[in-house]
Amino acid sequence: EQGYDLVAAFIGSEGTLGIITKILVRIMPLPEATRTLLAVFNTIEQASRTVSGVIGAGVIPAAIEMIDGTTIRAVEAAYNIGLPLDADAVLLIEVDGPKAGIDELQQMLADFCQEYGAREVRIAKNEQERADLWKARKTALGALGRLAPNYYIQDGVVPRSKLPYVLQQQDAIAKKYNVTIANVLHAGDGNLHPNILFDAREEGALERVKQAGGEILKLCVDVGGTISGEHGVGLEKLDYMPLLFQQADLDAQAKLRDAIAPTRILNPCKMLPQGSKCGEAAKSKLPQAIAGNVDVWI
Ligand SMILES: Cc1cc2nc3c(=O)[nH]c(=O)nc-3n(C[C@H](O)[C@H](O)[C@H](O)COP(=O)(O)OP(=O)(O)OC[C@H]3O[C@@H](n4cnc5c(N)ncnc54)[C@H](O)[C@@H]3O)c2cc1C
């Protein structure tokens, strides 16, 4: 259609342009068949190369999720799922589509994983086994409570081909700030969720965690990625918008907001760092918000 893509603008605006009161959605039929497999790797590099390899081969799975060794050990301690404690990464891959050809696709993915160094590939033979394989991923965030009382989840995105490099660099950032990072990734989308573990009672810990988080986001932008995959900018990432956008881009976004919502009362102070000083004031509340001491919408 002709004209501005206002649907995309509204979706990306985090509520700053207007309140959506009605949404028409296209209902997609459920896929005829689904196949799920879990591959265990000795190194996170092998796992991330597998992700690039799968996508590079033109296969677009419904999901490729990755959890790293730190997360595997937390999940095992909490739920005893049966993952090897010395593994450094697990990939959970799901494909769906018409029944015809789906088993061949599953086998191809299993072969792929092995070719890229998987030491073990588990294939779900029924719905129960599928749920069992997903359990490792679905319980991951809760299990991190075994490792530290607090975690700060980041949400960068990188081109999938850059995953091996970015995860390596992220290790260096963790060392620099003396923090532990437990990775849970929507790897198929290049969406990183590094969970930076810390104890908020320790003086200076939150500051180090935030600095590490900021460096990870800068790394994502440096390799051609972005600062948020699904959590949004809100207040928390106001400071990082200039990493991604030049002043002229930010001004254009502010102009769009002011054309549609000139009073700026809709989700005020979010997303755009400039032109709204209250954003600068509100974000100073972030540490208290993370500690749960103040009711601020991030
Ligand atoms: C721990 C964690 C895990 C997550 N995992 C995933 C995941 O696996 N996959 C995924 O896709 N996402 C994930 N997310 C992101 C989550 O889906 C998004 O944060 C989502 O926006 C939450 O929706 P909500 O309705 O709860 O949020 P809300 O805070 O209600 O809304 C989100 C944004 O939409 C705006 N908004 C709300 N209602 C309206 C309206 N009527 N009109 C216009 N704007 C409106 C708000 O202003 C706000 O900016 C995760 C988030 C967290 C914190």
Side-chain angles (χ1 to χ4, degrees), residues 10 13-16 18-21 137 141 151 153 186 193 230-231 267 297:
F10 257 76
S13 74
E14 300 187 8
T16 58
I19 296 175
I20 299 164
T21 56
R137 168 64 185 85
L141 285 183
Y151 68 80
I153 185 168
H186 305 304
H193 286 319
E230 57 191 19
H231 295 178
N267 207 9
W297 188 7

Side-chain angles (χ1 to χ4, degrees), residues 143-256:
L144 296 182
R146 295 258 164 174
L147 304 181
N150 304 87
Y151 68 80
Y152 178 49
I153 185 168
Q154 262 305 353
D155 176 41
V157 184
V158 298
R160 284 170 295 236
S161 59
K162 296 288 191 324
L163 275 175
Y165 170 77
V166 166
L167 290 172
Q168 216 176 42
Q169 293 300 306
Q170 202 183 260
D171 266 354
I173 293 172
K175 283 199 183 81
K176 176 174 167 190
Y177 290 99
N178 190 24
V179 290
T180 302
I181 296 180
N183 285 291
V184 177
L185 294 86
H186 305 304
D189 302 321
N191 188 185
L192 313 174
H193 286 319
N195 297 288
I196 312 177
L197 307 175
F198 70 109
D199 184 340
R201 294 165 299 187
E202 197 186 300
E203 202 177 324
L206 180 58
E207 208 38 55
R208 276 188 291 123
V209 164
K210 282 168 57 189
Q211 283 174 355
E215 253 189 63
I216 291 170
L217 293 184
K218 182 167 183 319
L219 170 66
C220 292
V221 173
D222 285 347
V223 299
T226 186
I227 58 174
S228 176
E230 57 191 19
H231 295 178
V233 174
L235 292 178
E236 185 198 359
K237 294 197 173 111
L238 283 176
D239 276 348
Y240 304 116
M241 287 290 273
L243 289 178
L244 196 59
F245 297 106
Q246 296 187 344
Q247 192 56 46
D249 303 320
L250 293 169
D251 288 347
Q253 292 180 45
K255 266 191 188 161
L256 176 68

Side-chain angles (χ1 to χ4, degrees), residues 45-91:
E45 191 176 349
Q46 289 169 326
S48 37
R49 288 199 188 287
T50 307
V51 176
S52 308
V54 167
I55 305 286
V59 182
I60 310 287
I64 310 186
E65 299 284 307
M66 190 196 300
I67 62 174
D68 71 356
T70 304
T71 312
I72 290 170
R73 288 180 277 285
V75 166
E76 275 308 303
Y79 300 103
N80 203 9
I81 287 172
L83 299 173
L85 292 176
D86 60 341
D88 213 21
V90 155
L91 281 185

Side-chain angles (χ1 to χ4, degrees), residues 25 58 73 89 119 174 183 232 276 282:
V25 294
R73 288 180 277 285
R119 64 192 236 186
N183 285 291
S276 162

Side-chain angles (χ1 to χ4, degrees), residues 99-121:
K99 263 189 195 142
I102 195 107
D103 288 323
E104 290 76 3
L105 186 55
Q106 180 183 43
Q107 191 54 51
M108 185 180 136
L109 285 166
D111 293 345
F112 236 123
C113 290
Q114 251 140 8
E115 203 178 299
Y116 278 86
R119 64 192 236 186
E120 182 191 346
V121 178

